[in-house]
């Protein structure tokens, strides 16, 4: 074995084992280095291990780690695989971070185009995965080196016959949308031109069949070959004008060995046109009975296909409505305070730390935290919640939402691509461009579809030529052209991505973000929903729920004195009591001489009165009997609430109850999940008594309590081992392992960034109702995809044999190529229209 030298940025060397090239293989020049971020390195030993792991990967010429920037630089050679490199680094105990890049792809017209674009992207060494989407005209690429690899990817796509460019960031002008609008304008113009020239041809040829005297009239006006020459001129204008696009794109694709939809149209219309040319200019070549012209077929086919593409382009525009609506939420300007002045600037110029002034009715430009003022903000398009949310000092506000009648100032904390709205747009876009597992089968079929159709068309012509009735030329040509024209790989290519696109858009409107598109399918297969308690089923913040006072004490007075004492405490229970007093508008007086007794409670002077608060054992320590509250305490404990006692001036004054209450929609959401036929399990680190009480209140029978984070993972693995498909709903850092382990991880959007990054689905509003909506939408989308695929495949399976002439021997039916063109266009439009129904997909209204 030869040793490969690995050069360090510092100038040192290390050796790695390189595989010998195959005997007789020629060595090609090394490609440009790929820079890959690597996580988990902590020392020089880590550097050595990462370099060694990378050096052993086939196709790696050199590898070097820069510890300062935490990056790995590899020079790829023949046989290099980005996926293999990522796996090798992971096996060494580290993580090579591939980045997701979105590309706009132009000129894709059918499922075959999708396969070729993906294949072209995967020829770029740095690319790990690539998924092109016909409906969005985009490609989602996981690539080492991120944007640095874009030029190589663009070049590879162009070599395959398409055009590519990096997708515009949120807030930048969307040139892709502008290009789609221009394409719709071009299709509209070309369709009308084609129609104007095709209509006389259609009337002249088909009108003669309907009304025979018309033929004699035309022959009288245009004797000899003049009628054919006029049709030749009109047909040439159509094929060389509006129809030129099919030949310019289809024939090169055919010559490259990768025929697409354009190739089918070019071959079909070209065959009809060339046959007609022979009849017009060299009729002696054909038998007398075969001297027919098919100019009208060629031109009407072009007109109908252009109409189909125009309808398709307009429908595709509607499928992206959700993204455009979200992008439209972005504010254009912002009012900020800088250097003692209030300035109106572009929203894109706001920087972190700016103080932003919001007036009534204004749209918030960025994310931040309220400094002063108060108002209610409409967050419906972000969270899906219809009611405005109160915002006071310390509240978080989100860019793109609309202020109500109040005014406030807030400090900018997230701007540009870091804003929640920008992240939502990015997540929805990535989900819309994803491939579901069901798409793999479709891809395998469509990769062979167009070549198979061409082969069937050729076999059809030969069959008619050798065994068909006279004129065999004519019948063979008509049948072969009909096969080419009626075949519709467009419907196959659009069946899945359009449903995903519209479904994820509808989900975003309801506050459900599918971070990973495949979650649409995995969520539909779920039969068990496991959920965390704190912050998921409950609010995640203790609240005062009950106040029971002893005889001779006033409830508000006791609460005011207790709050004054607890204001000096940092315990969450104390904070809940203070919040409750403030909510009631009570005065919270300052306490003096406060003393905390660890494990028991707290005491001090409030308004000149001695106040003590704590557990029952603290009251016993003070010589007070809590027996009068025995029944109350038992009831509270049974409800999962924590009793707390208050003594004033040496007398037992009240029993308070603090608990983490259920979220408003939790009970209804759990009931709705059960109605969908799902099993619901609650898993929590809380004590058994509290967990059981919350489970009873929420309607959950299966409760697993007192588990650590790894215990949640064990619960999931046990359920999966039983053959269950499991979704996990959680919100905290400790839920991240469970979210990653579940078949589908659903993160509460109000939770931690770590939890959200580990999840497949994010519920922006922080409400379990959104989990119900996510599951309902997954069922609706997969059902819609099934309908689309059935139509797309059934259409082709049934009509291609009809076009070939299978019905002719028994029924004398031979399909006209023009009918085939109309059917093909309608096939794609049907798929798109069916997918658009998801924009109105109904979900359970849990507010009723």
């Amino acid at each position: 074995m030869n040793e490969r030298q690995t050069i360090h940025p510092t100038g040192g060397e290390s050796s790695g084992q390189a595989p010998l090239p195959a005997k007789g293989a020629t060595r090609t020049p090394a490609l440009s280095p790929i820079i890959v971020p690597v996580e988990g390195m902590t020392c020089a030993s880590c550097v050595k291990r990462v370099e060694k792991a990378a050096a052993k990967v086939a196709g790696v010429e050199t590898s070097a780690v820069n510890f300062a920037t935490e990056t790995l630089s590899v020079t790829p050679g023949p046989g290099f695989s980005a996926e293999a490199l990522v796996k090798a680094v992971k096996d060494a105990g580290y993580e090579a971070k591939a980045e997701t890049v979105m590309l706009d792809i132009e000129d894709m017209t059918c499922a075959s185009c999708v396969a070729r674009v993906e294949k072209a992207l995967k020829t770029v060494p740095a690319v790990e995965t690539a998924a092109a989407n016909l409906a969005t005209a985009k490609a989602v690429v996981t690539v080492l080196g991120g944007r640095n690899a874009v030029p190589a990817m663009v070049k590879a796509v162009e070599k395959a016959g398409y055009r590519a460019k990096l997708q515009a960031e949120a807030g930048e002008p969307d040139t892709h949308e502008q290009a789609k609008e221009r394409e719709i304008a071009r299709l509209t113009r070309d369709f009308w031109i084609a129609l104007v020239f095709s209509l006389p041809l259609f009337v002249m040829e088909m009108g003669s069949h309907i009304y025979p005297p018309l033929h004699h009239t035309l022959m009288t006006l245009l004797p000899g070959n003049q009628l054919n020459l006029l049709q030749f001129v009109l047909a040439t204008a159509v094929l060389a004008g509006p129809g030129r696009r099919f030949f310019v794109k289809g024939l090169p694709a055919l010559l490259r060995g990768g025929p697409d939809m354009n190739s089918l149209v070019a071959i079909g219309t070209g065959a009809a046109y060339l046959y007609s040319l022979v009849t017009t200019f060299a009729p002696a070549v054909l038998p007398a009975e075969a001297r027919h012209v098919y100019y009208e077929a060629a031109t009407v086919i072009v007109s109908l296909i252009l109409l189909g593409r125009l309808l398709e382009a307009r429908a595709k525009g509607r499928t992206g409505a959700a993204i455009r609506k979200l992008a439209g939420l972005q504010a254009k300007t912002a009012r900020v305070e800088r250097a003692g002045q209030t300035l109106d600037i572009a929203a894109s110029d706001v920087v972190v730390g700016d103080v932003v002034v919001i007036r009534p009715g204004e749209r918030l430009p960025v994310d931040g935290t309220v400094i002063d003022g108060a108002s209610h903000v409409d967050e419906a398009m972000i969270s899906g919640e219809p009611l405005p949310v109160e915002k006071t000092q310390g509240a978080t506000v989100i860019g793109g939402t609309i202020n109500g009648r109040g005014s406030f100032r807030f400090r900018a904390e997230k701007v540009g691509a870091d804003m929640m709205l920008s992240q939502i747009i990015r997540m929805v876009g990535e989900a819309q461009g994803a491939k579901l597992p069901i798409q793999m089968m479709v891809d395998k079929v469509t990769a062979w579809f167009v070549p198979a159709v061409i082969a069937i068309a050729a076999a059809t012509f030969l069959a008619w030529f050798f065994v068909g009735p006279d004129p065999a030329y004519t019948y063979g040509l008509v049948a072969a052209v009909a096969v080419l024209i009626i075949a519709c790989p467009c419907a196959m290519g659009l069946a899945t991505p359009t449903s995903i696109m519209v479904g994820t858009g509808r989900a975003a409107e309801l506050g459900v973000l599918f971070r990973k598109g495949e979650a649409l399918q995995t969520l539909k297969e779920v039969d068990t929903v496991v959920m965390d308690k704190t912050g998921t089923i409950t609010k995640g913040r203790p609240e005062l729920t009950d106040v029971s006072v002893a005889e001779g004490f006033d409830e508000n007075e006791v609460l005011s004195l207790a709050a004054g004492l607890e204001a000096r405490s940092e315990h969450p229970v104390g904070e809940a009591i203070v919040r409750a007093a403030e909510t009631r508008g009570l005065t919270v007086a300052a306490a003096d001489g406060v003393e905390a007794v660890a494990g028991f409670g707290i005491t001090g002077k409030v308004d000149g009165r001695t106040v003590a608060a704590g557990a029952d054992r603290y009251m016993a320590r003070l010589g007070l009997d809590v027996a009068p509250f025995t029944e109350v305490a038992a009831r509270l404990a049974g409800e999962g609430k924590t009793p707390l006692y208050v003594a004033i001036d040496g007398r037992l004054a009240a029993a308070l109850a603090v608990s983490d209450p259920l979220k408003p929609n939790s009970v209804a959401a759990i009931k709705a999940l059960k109605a969908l036929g799902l099993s619901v399990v609650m898993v929590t680190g809380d004590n058994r008594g509290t967990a059981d009480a919350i489970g009873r209140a929420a309607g959950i029978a299966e409760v697993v309590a007192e588990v650590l984070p790894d215990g949640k993972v064990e619960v999931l693995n046990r359920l999966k081992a039983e053959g269950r498909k499991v979704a996990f709903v959680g919100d905290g850092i400790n839920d991240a392992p469970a979210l990653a382990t579940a078949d589908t991880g659903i993160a509460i959007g109000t939770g931690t960034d770590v939890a959200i990054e580990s999840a497949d689905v994010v519920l922006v509003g922080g409400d379990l109702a959104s989990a119900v909506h996510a599951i309902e939408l997954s069922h609706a989308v997969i059902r819609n995809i099934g309908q689309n695929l059935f139509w797309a495949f059934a259409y082709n399976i049934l009509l291609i044999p009809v076009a070939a002439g299978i019905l002719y021997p028994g029924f004398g039916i031979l399909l006209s190529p023009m009918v085939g063109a109309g059917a093909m266009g309608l096939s794609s439009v049907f798929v798109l229209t069916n997918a658009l129904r998801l924009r109105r997909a109904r979900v359970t209204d849990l507010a009723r």
Side-chain angles (χ1 to χ4, degrees), residues 515 730-733 735-736 739 746-748 751-762:
R515 289 190 65 248
D731 75 320
I733 291 176
D735 292 329
L739 287 165
I746 304 174
I748 299 292
T752 64
D753 290 342
V754 175
I756 292 170
E757 286 299 316
S758 303
D760 305 302
V761 182
V762 178

Side-chain angles (χ1 to χ4, degrees), residues 165-201:
K165 59 185 175 183
L166 187 67
Q167 177 182 274
E169 290 285 351
E172 295 179 9
D174 194 341
T175 55
H176 180 65
E177 287 296 325
Q178 295 168 1
K180 281 203 292 189
E181 290 175 6
R182 289 194 298 270
E183 176 64 12
I184 290 174
R186 280 195 299 268
L187 284 169
T188 303
R189 179 200 64 199
D190 289 351
F191 165 68
W192 284 110
I193 292 172
L195 183 64
V196 167
F197 283 98
S198 299
L199 201 55
L201 277 169

Side-chain angles (χ1 to χ4, degrees), residues 343-634:
L343 307 171
D344 287 321
I345 62 174
S348 57
D349 292 335
V350 177
V351 298
V352 173
D354 272 341
V355 174
V356 183
V357 180
I358 297 296
R359 293 170 296 186
E362 287 187 331
R363 192 178 293 278
L364 278 64
V366 295
D367 299 356
T369 300
V370 176
I371 300 172
D372 53 47
S375 186
H376 283 77
V377 176
D378 181 358
E379 298 182 344
M381 268 306 295
I382 297 293
S383 65
E385 295 297 324
L387 296 177
V389 180
E390 184 181 8
K391 300 294 180 182
T392 56
Q393 182 179 357
T396 299
V397 290
I398 303 168
T401 55
I402 301 174
N403 183 33
R405 296 181 180 179
S407 60
F408 58 88
R409 298 188 309 153
F410 73 92
R411 192 174 305 281
E413 294 177 346
K414 291 184 179 180
V415 301
D418 294 329
M419 289 168 55
M420 178 180 284
L421 180 59
S422 300
Q423 293 177 33
I424 288 173
I425 293 171
R426 185 168 62 252
M427 278 194 276
V428 173
E430 289 177 3
Q432 289 184 341
K435 277 186 185 289
L436 302 190
I438 195 173
Q439 183 70 18
M440 304 304 177
M441 177 270 292
V442 180
D443 289 346
K444 290 177 182 177
V445 173
T446 52
W448 293 96
F449 183 78
V450 174
V453 168
I454 293 174
I456 292 169
T460 297
F461 179 81
L462 292 174
W464 279 97
F465 181 77
F466 286 112
V467 300
D470 291 329
Y473 287 107
T474 300
Y475 282 119
L477 176 69
V478 170
V481 171
V483 167
L484 291 167
I485 297 304
I486 205 167
C488 189
C490 301
M492 290 180 175
L494 292 168
T496 301
T498 49
S499 297
I500 295 173
M501 193 173 180
V502 181
T504 51
R506 172 65 173 145
E509 293 175 359
L510 294 168
V512 178
L513 300 179
F514 286 87
R515 289 190 65 248
K516 299 174 183 175
E518 55 267 29
L520 276 166
Q521 185 167 338
T522 58
L523 196 54
K524 189 262 180 187
E525 297 165 355
V526 160
D527 55 33
T528 303
V529 179
V530 180
M531 51 184 71
D532 178 45
K533 176 181 75 70
T534 307
T536 302
I537 299 174
T538 65
K539 291 184 177 180
R541 187 176 74 168
E543 291 185 3
L544 181 70
T545 57
D546 298 82
V547 180
S548 297
V549 294
E551 188 175 346
F553 288 93
D554 177 72
E555 183 175 313
N556 284 341
E557 181 186 21
V558 171
L559 185 57
S560 176
L561 293 171
L565 178 66
E566 294 288 358
R568 298 288 299 274
S569 168
E570 295 182 355
H571 196 281
V573 170
E575 293 175 2
I577 293 172
V578 173
R579 281 197 306 272
E582 290 175 343
T583 300
R584 294 191 185 192
L586 303 178
T587 301
V588 179
D592 298 316
V594 175
E595 179 185 352
V597 182
F600 286 85
I602 186 172
T603 185
K605 287 277 188 181
V606 182
D607 264 354
R609 306 182 70 176
T610 302
V611 183
D616 53 358
R617 58 181 175 275
Y618 189 38
M619 297 298 110
R621 183 171 177 172
L622 295 175
L624 300 175
D625 186 6
V626 297
F629 292 108
T630 300
E631 290 185 11
V632 172

Side-chain angles (χ1 to χ4, degrees), residues 104-459:
D104 290 329
I105 309 292
E106 295 183 23
D107 301 331
M108 288 195 301
T109 57
C110 68
S112 298
C113 300
V114 171
R116 273 187 290 282
V117 168
E118 290 177 349
K119 186 177 180 181
L121 287 168
K122 289 173 183 175
T123 62
V124 178
V127 170
E128 184 180 3
T129 63
N133 188 306
L134 181 61
T136 60
K138 298 181 188 297
V140 181
V141 188
T142 307
V143 58
L144 300 177
R147 293 191 174 207
N148 294 329
V150 169
M153 293 190 289
V154 168
K155 187 176 179 181
V157 171
E158 288 176 347
K159 189 176 179 182
Y162 306 89
R163 286 181 289 178
K165 59 185 175 183
L166 187 67
Q167 177 182 274
E169 290 285 351
E172 295 179 9
D174 194 341
T175 55
H176 180 65
E177 287 296 325
Q178 295 168 1
K180 281 203 292 189
E181 290 175 6
R182 289 194 298 270
E183 176 64 12
I184 290 174
R186 280 195 299 268
L187 284 169
T188 303
R189 179 200 64 199
D190 289 351
F191 165 68
W192 284 110
I193 292 172
L195 183 64
V196 167
F197 283 98
S198 299
L199 201 55
L201 277 169
F202 182 78
V203 171
M204 282 187 283
E205 189 62 30
M206 301 307 293
S208 298
H209 293 292
I210 299 169
Y211 181 64
L214 177 62
H215 179 71
H216 298 293
T217 303
L218 291 172
M219 292 304 295
T220 302
L221 294 173
L222 301 166
N225 202 35
Q226 291 183 41
L227 182 59
N228 285 352
L229 289 172
L230 176 60
Q231 292 189 7
F232 159 73
V233 172
L234 293 171
T236 302
V238 173
L239 294 182
R244 183 173 176 269
R245 54 167 45 84
F246 301 114
F247 296 91
V248 168
K249 296 176 181 177
L251 294 180
L254 184 64
L255 294 174
R256 284 194 300 267
D260 60 7
M261 186 66 218
N262 293 306
S263 304
L264 294 182
V265 178
I267 296 170
T269 56
Y273 180 74
L274 291 173
Y275 188 93
S276 301
L277 285 184
V278 173
T279 302
T280 303
F281 296 103
V285 174
L286 300 170
E289 68 274 11
R291 294 170 188 172
H292 300 282
V293 292
Y294 293 96
Y295 291 121
E296 90 290 345
T299 58
V300 173
I301 285 168
V302 167
S303 300
L304 288 172
I305 291 175
L306 286 174
L307 175 61
R309 288 200 177 175
L310 175 59
L311 296 174
E312 186 179 304
R314 287 178 174 172
K316 281 183 185 177
R318 292 198 297 274
T319 62
I323 285 279
R324 288 193 297 277
K325 192 180 290 185
L326 286 168
L329 293 175
Q330 294 168 321
K332 302 296 186 291
T333 61
R335 172 165 289 201
V336 299
E337 295 179 353
R338 289 180 181 173
Q341 291 183 307
T342 302
L343 307 171
D344 287 321
I345 62 174
S348 57
D349 292 335
V350 177
V351 298
V352 173
D354 272 341
V355 174
V356 183
V357 180
I358 297 296
R359 293 170 296 186
E362 287 187 331
R363 192 178 293 278
L364 278 64
V366 295
D367 299 356
T369 300
V370 176
I371 300 172
D372 53 47
S375 186
H376 283 77
V377 176
D378 181 358
E379 298 182 344
M381 268 306 295
I382 297 293
S383 65
E385 295 297 324
L387 296 177
V389 180
E390 184 181 8
K391 300 294 180 182
T392 56
Q393 182 179 357
T396 299
V397 290
I398 303 168
T401 55
I402 301 174
N403 183 33
R405 296 181 180 179
S407 60
F408 58 88
R409 298 188 309 153
F410 73 92
R411 192 174 305 281
E413 294 177 346
K414 291 184 179 180
V415 301
D418 294 329
M419 289 168 55
M420 178 180 284
L421 180 59
S422 300
Q423 293 177 33
I424 288 173
I425 293 171
R426 185 168 62 252
M427 278 194 276
V428 173
E430 289 177 3
Q432 289 184 341
K435 277 186 185 289
L436 302 190
I438 195 173
Q439 183 70 18
M440 304 304 177
M441 177 270 292
V442 180
D443 289 346
K444 290 177 182 177
V445 173
T446 52
W448 293 96
F449 183 78
V450 174
V453 168
I454 293 174
I456 292 169

Side-chain angles (χ1 to χ4, degrees), residues 661-673:
L662 296 173
K663 289 183 178 179
N665 283 338
S666 288
V667 175
I670 291 164
K671 185 177 179 181
L673 289 172

